[in-house]
């Protein structure tokens, strides 16, 4: 598939994630962030694992656990913790520095030299997101700030390591996504039980919300995300991240009646421009890439993992 089409498909992941806040506030039980993270990750991982019908082998048991912890198991709880302890959209602002983290980690782990253009684009993206999501100033919480930084660093490290390790021969992004979601969900499960206790009673509205989060928002979105990492550079993928808070702002305006000010509209233009500019970065093939897109192209579709009729 040509790169513009790959970029557009990968972009659907952060666009989907941008609907998470609205679904959580309108459909799900309040004050159960860990249970919500568990319901997003584990059912999605098990569904994809059933479709892929491939388990890790050898070193990939450890690698899948590490990636699952970074991208899911640590990222979800830290993200929720920061959102509960910080005012307004400050957690999203801290998260918007993810492209800068990835630029630095790509230099360390992938041998990709950072460029002035990528650094400037990262700052522009963070500035645009700040204008979109920041409301009235409030007292910052140290734990919340540290949790937001840790969640961003965790996802950034997971993105870069996913690019560095590639995937085993004959294994497509569907299986790789299944391994990570399952491992991450299993890591969240005991933490949710310990901190939040028994699962809450769920009505039809909550079940529908969790079904959406598990399937469209997580299973499909993360499959597209990890598929994109295999075909694009880590920097290109992470510069799609600002689409998430932009989508959240648009959903809030369209579905929840939230107003968009001229300053927010200007911030959206800045952040979207940085996202587009991030896709125009020079593409360098890392020396440590393990799997080529051509070798794994036949594994990219969920249908390719189903048994022959």
């Amino acid at each position: 598939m040509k790169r513009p089409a790959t970029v557009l498909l990968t972009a659907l992941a952060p666009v989907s994630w941008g609907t998470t806040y609205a679904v959580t506030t309108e459909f799900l039980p309040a004050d159960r962030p860990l249970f919500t993270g568990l319901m997003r990750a584990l059912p999605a991982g098990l569904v994809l694992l059933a479709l892929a019908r491939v388990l890790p082998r050898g070193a990939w048991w450890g690698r899948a656990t590490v990636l699952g912890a970074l991208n899911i198991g640590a990222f979800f709880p830290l993200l929720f913790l920061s959102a509960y302890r910080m005012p307004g959209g400050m957690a999203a602002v801290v998260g918007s520095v993810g492209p800068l983290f990835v630029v630095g980690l790509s230099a360390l782990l992938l041998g990709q030299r950072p460029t002035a253009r990528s650094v400037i684009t990262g700052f522009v993206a963070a500035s645009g997101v700040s204008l979109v999501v920041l409301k009235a100033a409030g007292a910052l919480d140290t734990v919340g700030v540290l949790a937001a930084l840790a969640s961003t660093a965790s996802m950034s490290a997971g993105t870069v390591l996913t690019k560095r390790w590639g995937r085993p021969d004959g294994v497509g992004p569907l299986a790789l996504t299944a391994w990570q979601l399952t491992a991450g969900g299993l890591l969240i499960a005991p933490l949710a039980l310990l901190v939040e206790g028994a699962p809450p009673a769920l009505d039809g509205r909550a079940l529908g919300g969790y079904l959406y989060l598990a399937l469209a928002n997580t299973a499909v979105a993360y499959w597209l995300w990890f598929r994109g990492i295999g075909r694009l550079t880590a920097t290109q993928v992470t510069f799609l991240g600002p689409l998430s808070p932009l989508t959240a702002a648009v959903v809030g305006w369209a579905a929840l009646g939230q107003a968009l000010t001229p300053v927010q509209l200007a911030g959206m233009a800045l952040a979207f421009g940085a996202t587009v500019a991030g896709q125009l970065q020079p593409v360098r093939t890392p020396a440590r890439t393990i799997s080529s897109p051509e070798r794994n192209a036949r594994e990219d579709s969920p249908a390719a993992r189903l048994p022959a009729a």
Side-chain angles (χ1 to χ4, degrees):
M1 183 179 293
K2 296 184 182 299
R3 191 163 69 94
T6 302
V7 170
L8 291 175
L9 284 175
T10 308
L12 292 177
V15 168
S16 173
W17 297 334
T19 67
T20 302
Y21 176 78
V23 172
T24 300
T25 56
E26 298 298 314
F27 291 88
L28 304 184
D31 301 323
R32 302 304 293 262
L34 292 175
F35 178 74
T36 297
L38 173 63
M39 291 295 288
R40 284 186 66 188
L42 191 55
L46 293 176
V47 168
L48 294 186
L49 197 61
L51 290 174
R53 299 194 302 175
V54 177
L55 293 176
R57 295 181 180 179
W60 272 97
W61 282 104
R63 290 180 177 181
T65 301
V66 170
L67 293 177
L70 291 172
N71 289 319
I72 308 295
F75 175 68
F76 279 4
L78 288 168
L79 181 67
F80 286 131
L81 176 61
S82 66
Y84 271 78
R85 296 187 66 112
M86 295 173 66
M90 182 59 71
V93 173
V94 177
S96 68
V97 303
L100 297 175
F101 281 14
V102 169
V103 168
L105 289 170
S106 294
L108 291 174
L109 299 177
L110 302 179
Q112 294 179 348
R113 185 174 59 188
T115 65
R117 178 178 177 178
S118 62
V119 173
I120 293 172
T121 304
F123 277 111
V124 171
S127 300
V129 171
S130 300
L131 294 177
V132 173
V133 301
L134 282 184
K135 307 296 182 183
L140 292 182
D141 180 87
T142 302
V143 174
V145 172
L146 292 176
L149 285 172
S151 68
T152 303
S154 179
M155 185 68 167
S156 299
T159 298
V160 174
L161 281 178
T162 301
K163 185 65 179 178
R164 171 171 174 158
W165 287 337
R167 54 183 188 262
D169 290 339
V171 172
L174 187 72
L176 185 64
T177 305
W179 299 347
Q180 295 186 56
L181 288 173
T182 303
L186 290 175
L187 291 172
I188 296 174
L191 182 62
L193 184 62
L194 179 65
V195 175
E196 297 179 351
L202 302 177
D203 57 15
R205 188 177 181 86
L207 288 173
Y210 281 126
L211 185 65
Y212 167 78
L213 289 182
L215 296 182
N217 186 266
T218 302
V220 174
Y222 272 93
W223 170 65
L224 290 172
W225 185 254
F226 292 130
R227 180 180 181 277
I229 291 175
R231 291 173 169 265
L232 305 169
T233 69
T235 303
Q236 286 174 313
V237 173
T238 197
F239 268 111
L240 296 172
L243 292 176
S244 179
L246 296 187
T247 301
V250 171
V251 171
W253 167 74
L256 304 181
Q258 298 172 354
L260 287 175
T261 67
V263 171
Q264 287 178 302
L265 292 174
M268 293 175 71
L270 273 178
F272 185 76
T275 296
V276 174
Q279 307 314 307
L280 303 178
Q281 304 289 336
V283 179
R284 296 186 179 93
T285 302
R288 293 173 179 170
T289 297
I290 295 176
S291 301
S292 67
E294 291 81 12
R295 185 175 65 195
N296 292 299
R298 62 184 179 87
E299 303 292 340
D300 282 344
S301 169
R305 306 305 306 163
L306 293 173

